Amino acid sequence: MKFMKIGTKPDTFCTEEATRTVISDVPSDLLIQINNISYLLHKLQFPLVPKCGLLQRLCSDSGDSEKVSIELHDIPGGEDAFELCAKFCYGITINLSAYNFVPAFCAAKFLRMTESLEKGNFVPKLEAFFNSCILEGWKDSITTLETTVKLPEWSENLGIIRKCIDSIVEKILTPPAKVSWSYTYTRPGYTKKQHHSVPKDWWTEDISDLDVDLFRCIITAVASTYMLPPQLIGEALHVYACRWLPDTTRPPPQTDEQFMEKNRRIVDTIVSMIPGDKRAVCVGFLLRLLIVANYLGVSPVTKTELLRRSSLQLQEATVNDLISPSHSPTDPEFYDIDLVVTVLQSFLVLWRRQSPAAASASELNGSSAQFLGTMRKVGKLIDSYLQVVARDANMPVSKLVSLAEALPDIAREDHDDIYKAINIYLKEHGDLSKADKKRLCRILDCQKLSPEVRAHAVKNERLPLRTVVQVLFFEQDRDRASNSKVAATHDHHHKHKLMPSQSQSQELFSTGKQTVPTSRELDIHHGHGHGKLKLGAADHHDKFTSSRGDHSTRRTNVTGKKDYPLHLQTKRSDGKFPVGTERKVVSSTEIQEQVEHQLETGSGSKLDAKKMIQRGSRSDHGRDKGKDR
């Protein structure tokens, strides 16, 4: 920090009540009133009036009266700035620095202490100090600019603000290798002794002390040169936000509206200066700004812009970025889940707008696959967030379900994470009603659970019985489908063994012996020789997973033959369907009806449901073996 010392005489100003007097043998003949302070000074015995053009004019207007009284209530800087000018005129020692330069210079200009009145007057001395010392220094320029807040109009008109900003911007644009002045850098993990090179963002912390309007002027000037990357601009905004914005973990002050309005203006200004480059700021910073904006109640325009920017980078966020306390007096829960729902909805709007093809998993190709990957990352993020907020004792089921259901189906490759969130919620809310449990578990797709999670779900007594039954049925159908594939592979190999080769066929026909099996014999062999009906485990699985299926649809079974609906299949000679086929369809239906009956009456348990499914499976297997016999 640079200083300038002017004058050699000791300070002879003394105070008595609200009056300041210069100790002298000469009686005072000049009374100057500034606010509540009265100064008893001298007109001609000391060079006060000769050095001040304004006082010369005011004294001349008062005539030849022995004692003159002047009011200077509108002097910039008040009584402190006037006293500096008065001491300069009396030759009393004063120290000038970046802290008191602005009021002293403005007061000297107001009193017209210029070179035209006397050589070496106060104004030219202050101008020399400003140009040679303050503007040449880094921190001096910032401190001087900071003091202009108290005298903005005078500082603007005298060019102090413009010159300070130009000096600061020039130093910011200096290559880090050429930075030789002192600066403030207190980031965690950084010490000047360990780092000999100057960090690229060395300037961000010092300018964060400025008023938001002055800060905006500097950032706008730096950004307009396009000499610094957008990331540095974003870092400066981040440092400023950390310096001034309030802590959102505390309730907002209800009575200090001035505090709230000041911080709203800071948020609006920061958001308006965020560079358009997507990499300029991280999504964590955007979400923090959004949380603060929601905390302060900023303008809808600012919120909308923050939502848009946050949505564009949501896949890069972490769970900690989304966590924020709720300050709504009507919501008892701790976490602000409504804000996360809003961000997710904004993301989905942009996602569908940018990639309509990615909205359907069946149309994925090229860039659409990339959008699907983005959606899967967001799905993982939301499910992890749900596991955190599920521990909130005051979190209602409706909000948890609304956030879980906001994600499209393709966002979740599996439902393991959402199962964990449901399990945590059920564990923390032991008094949850049956209706709420069903509502919560309805978002779970049992077919998308991994084998480990399904094994846990079967033994999880917190889950509703209906959910456990769904898991068991799916597990049973999965086993049947697997057995069906094994049997189909065995039939395929057996068929090739029965069919003669081309040379054998030619030999048989050449001898006049027609021993090739007929198509009916092959049908009998495959339909009965191995005990496999056309309505096997795979067909049962199709009907169960698609709400009993569409019996009027024609399908192709594993042997390559067309499988018609039951009412189009060949009947026996007595006009009835094969007994094994009828009973197999009825068996699965009976099991479901019995389980549903237990669910309605409340007489069943998880063990009962599992045993019923196993008995149904064994009875079906027995009927198949009986048909083989």
Side-chain angles (χ1 to χ4, degrees):
M1 186 71 67
K2 299 292 182 63
F3 295 89
M4 183 176 73
K5 186 177 181 179
I6 304 177
T8 57
K9 296 181 180 180
D11 190 356
T12 55
F13 273 76
C14 64
T15 303
E16 185 177 350
E17 294 182 355
T19 303
R20 296 279 287 167
T21 306
V22 178
I23 299 175
S24 173
D25 297 335
V26 180
S28 63
D29 56 358
L30 178 63
L31 174 63
I32 296 178
Q33 294 181 343
I34 302 174
N35 299 326
N36 297 324
I37 303 296
S38 297
Y39 287 89
L40 296 178
L41 305 175
H42 307 82
K43 288 190 296 183
L44 300 175
Q45 285 77 4
F46 295 93
L48 176 61
V49 174
K51 290 185 177 182
C52 301
L54 179 63
L55 294 182
Q56 287 183 12
R57 183 178 65 79
L58 293 176
C59 288
S60 62
D61 293 342
S62 62
D64 296 332
S65 58
E66 293 183 359
K67 196 169 185 177
V68 178
S69 179
I70 299 174
E71 293 184 358
L72 297 177
H73 300 301
D74 55 347
I75 185 173
E79 58 272 14
D80 293 335
F82 173 77
E83 191 165 322
L84 285 173
C85 296
K87 287 181 177 180
F88 171 79
C89 295
Y90 279 91
I92 297 174
T93 303
I94 58 175
N95 291 314
L96 295 174
S97 67
Y99 291 102
N100 60 3
F101 165 78
V102 172
F105 186 65
C106 293
K109 280 285 189 179
F110 177 81
L111 294 172
R112 301 174 191 171
M113 303 174 69
T114 60
E115 188 83 13
S116 60
L117 294 178
E118 184 177 311
K119 189 175 181 181
N121 210 343
F122 200 28
V123 169
K125 287 185 178 294
L126 290 172
E127 287 178 341
F129 175 67
F130 180 61
N131 294 324
S132 62
C133 295
I134 291 180
L135 295 181
E136 292 298 320
W138 165 249
K139 289 188 176 180
D140 295 86
S141 300
I142 295 176
T143 302
T144 302
L145 185 61
E146 189 177 358
T147 60
T148 61
V149 176
K150 296 181 179 180
L151 298 169
E153 293 183 2
W154 277 90
S155 301
E156 183 68 31
N157 294 333
L158 295 176
I160 300 175
I161 294 178
R162 179 182 56 80
K163 291 180 180 179
C164 286
I165 290 177
D166 290 344
S167 174
I168 294 170
V169 171
E170 181 183 358
K171 292 178 177 62
I172 290 175
L173 297 177
T174 302
K178 296 183 179 180
V179 174
S180 58
W181 47 83
S182 175
Y183 56 87
T184 305
Y185 200 83
T186 59
R187 311 297 173 79
Y190 178 86
T191 57
K192 293 183 179 180
K193 295 181 180 179
Q194 296 177 355
H195 299 79
H196 300 287
S197 60
V198 176
K200 294 181 179 180
D201 57 342
W202 62 267
W203 49 274
T204 57
E205 196 165 335
D206 285 323
I207 67 171
S208 66
D209 292 331
L210 295 171
D211 177 77
V212 65
D213 292 328
L214 297 174
F215 175 78
R216 177 181 55 80
C217 292
I218 292 176
I219 294 298
T220 303
V222 170
S224 63
T225 62
Y226 297 100
M227 295 178 64
L228 297 182
Q231 290 83 353
L232 275 182
I233 304 298
E235 180 62 18
L237 299 177
H238 184 218
V239 172
Y240 193 86
C242 294
R243 168 71 173 80
W244 291 101
L245 293 180
D247 184 3
T248 57
T249 59
R250 300 177 181 177
Q254 301 295 330
T255 57
D256 196 353
E257 181 58 31
Q258 184 178 0
F259 167 82
M260 301 292 284
E261 182 59 34
K262 176 184 177 181
N263 285 282
R264 290 190 197 104
R265 188 162 59 90
I266 291 176
V267 173
D268 291 337
T269 303
I270 290 176
V271 173
S272 66
M273 290 190 296
I274 297 177
D277 193 322
K278 190 176 178 180
R279 301 168 298 172
V281 293
C282 63
V283 66
F285 175 55
L286 293 172
L287 290 171
R288 287 291 106 184
L289 281 179
L290 183 59
I291 291 170
V292 174
N294 193 53
Y295 171 88
L296 297 171
V298 300
S299 64
V301 176
T302 301
K303 277 189 178 181
T304 302
E305 179 63 14
L306 283 173
L307 274 174
R308 186 186 69 83
R309 288 180 175 271
S310 301
S311 304
L312 290 172
Q313 299 173 242
L314 184 59
Q315 70 277 8
E316 303 170 7
T318 63
V319 176
N320 289 333
D321 296 331
L322 297 178
I323 293 177
S324 66
S326 176
H327 299 289
S328 176
T330 59
D331 296 333
E333 65 270 8
F334 177 76
Y335 297 101
D336 190 358
I337 196 171
D338 294 332
L339 185 64
V340 179
V341 172
T342 305
V343 174
L344 178 59
Q345 290 174 345
S346 178
F347 166 79
L348 293 175
V349 170
L350 293 174
W351 180 73
R352 294 188 180 100
R353 187 182 302 165
Q354 293 178 4
S355 179
S360 175
S362 61
E363 301 178 9
L364 292 176
N365 52 37
S367 62
S368 298
Q370 181 180 357
F371 281 105
L372 177 63
T374 300
M375 177 59 73
R376 291 279 168 84
K377 290 181 180 179
V378 173
K380 282 281 187 183
L381 172 67
I382 296 300
D383 286 347
S384 299
Y385 174 78
L386 286 172
Q387 295 175 31
V388 175
V389 300
R391 294 179 170 86
D392 186 359
N394 296 321
M395 183 62 64
V397 175
S398 57
K399 290 194 174 185
L400 204 73
V401 172
S402 64
L403 178 58
E405 290 182 340
L407 282 172
D409 292 338
I410 61 173
R412 294 186 176 97
E413 189 173 3
D414 57 63
H415 275 221
D416 289 0
D417 289 335
I418 192 63
Y419 171 81
K420 294 177 183 177
I422 292 173
N423 186 46
I424 293 172
Y425 190 86
L426 293 175
K427 183 178 180 181
E428 297 294 331
H429 302 76
D431 57 345
L432 203 63
S433 65
K434 291 184 178 180
D436 286 338
K437 285 185 178 181
K438 290 181 180 180
R439 183 181 182 186
L440 181 65
C441 294
R442 196 177 296 126
I443 62 180
L444 190 65
D445 188 350
C446 299
Q447 299 188 33
K448 291 187 177 182
L449 296 178
S450 63
E452 296 80 6
V453 174
R454 285 199 304 270
H456 184 277
V458 170
K459 301 176 182 178
N460 192 349
E461 295 185 356
R462 301 186 188 99
L463 295 176
L465 184 59
R466 186 183 301 272
T467 304
V468 177
V469 169
Q470 289 177 355
V471 175
L472 289 171
F473 265 113
F474 174 72
E475 192 71 20
Q476 192 70 20
D477 286 340
R478 188 185 184 94
D479 294 340
R480 291 183 180 181
S482 178
N483 294 335
S484 177
K485 290 180 180 180
V486 173
T489 304
H490 179 72
D491 290 348
H492 180 73
H493 289 300
H494 191 67
K495 177 179 178 181
H496 280 283
K497 290 181 180 179
L498 292 177
M499 292 294 291
S501 63
Q502 184 177 3
S503 58
Q504 290 174 334
S505 300
Q506 292 176 354
E507 181 180 359
L508 290 173
F509 281 113
S510 62
T511 57
K513 297 179 181 180
Q514 188 175 350
T515 60
V516 179
T518 64
S519 60
R520 180 173 179 80
E521 289 173 340
L522 288 175
D523 288 342
I524 294 174
H525 175 77
H526 289 291
H528 304 286
H530 291 276
K532 295 292 180 181
L533 299 177
K534 292 182 179 179
L535 189 60
D539 296 326
H540 174 69
H541 172 69
D542 292 339
K543 293 191 296 178
F544 181 78
T545 57
S546 59
S547 300
R548 299 183 184 276
D550 184 0
H551 295 293
S552 62
T553 304
R554 184 176 301 180
R555 298 192 303 273
T556 304
N557 60 16
V558 294
T559 60
K561 299 178 65 178
K562 290 185 178 180
D563 183 14
Y564 292 89
L566 291 177
H567 66 279
L568 296 179
Q569 292 184 10
T570 306
K571 296 182 180 180
R572 297 188 319 184
S573 58
D574 56 359
K576 297 181 179 180
F577 290 110
V579 177
T581 303
E582 274 186 321
R583 288 182 178 176
K584 187 154 190 170
V585 175
V586 175
S587 173
S588 298
T589 306
E590 287 176 350
I591 295 173
Q592 277 188 297
E593 288 177 350
Q594 292 177 24
V595 175
E596 292 293 336
H597 175 69
Q598 286 191 357
L599 289 173
E600 297 295 334
T601 59
S603 60
S605 65
K606 297 179 177 61
L607 184 60
D608 296 333
K610 188 171 183 179
K611 288 182 178 180
M612 292 170 64
I613 295 175
Q614 291 173 348
R615 286 200 301 268
S617 176
R618 288 195 298 267
S619 62
D620 292 344
H621 180 67
R623 293 190 187 97
D624 290 342
K625 292 180 67 175
K627 186 156 185 69
D628 291 339
R629 292 195 297 268

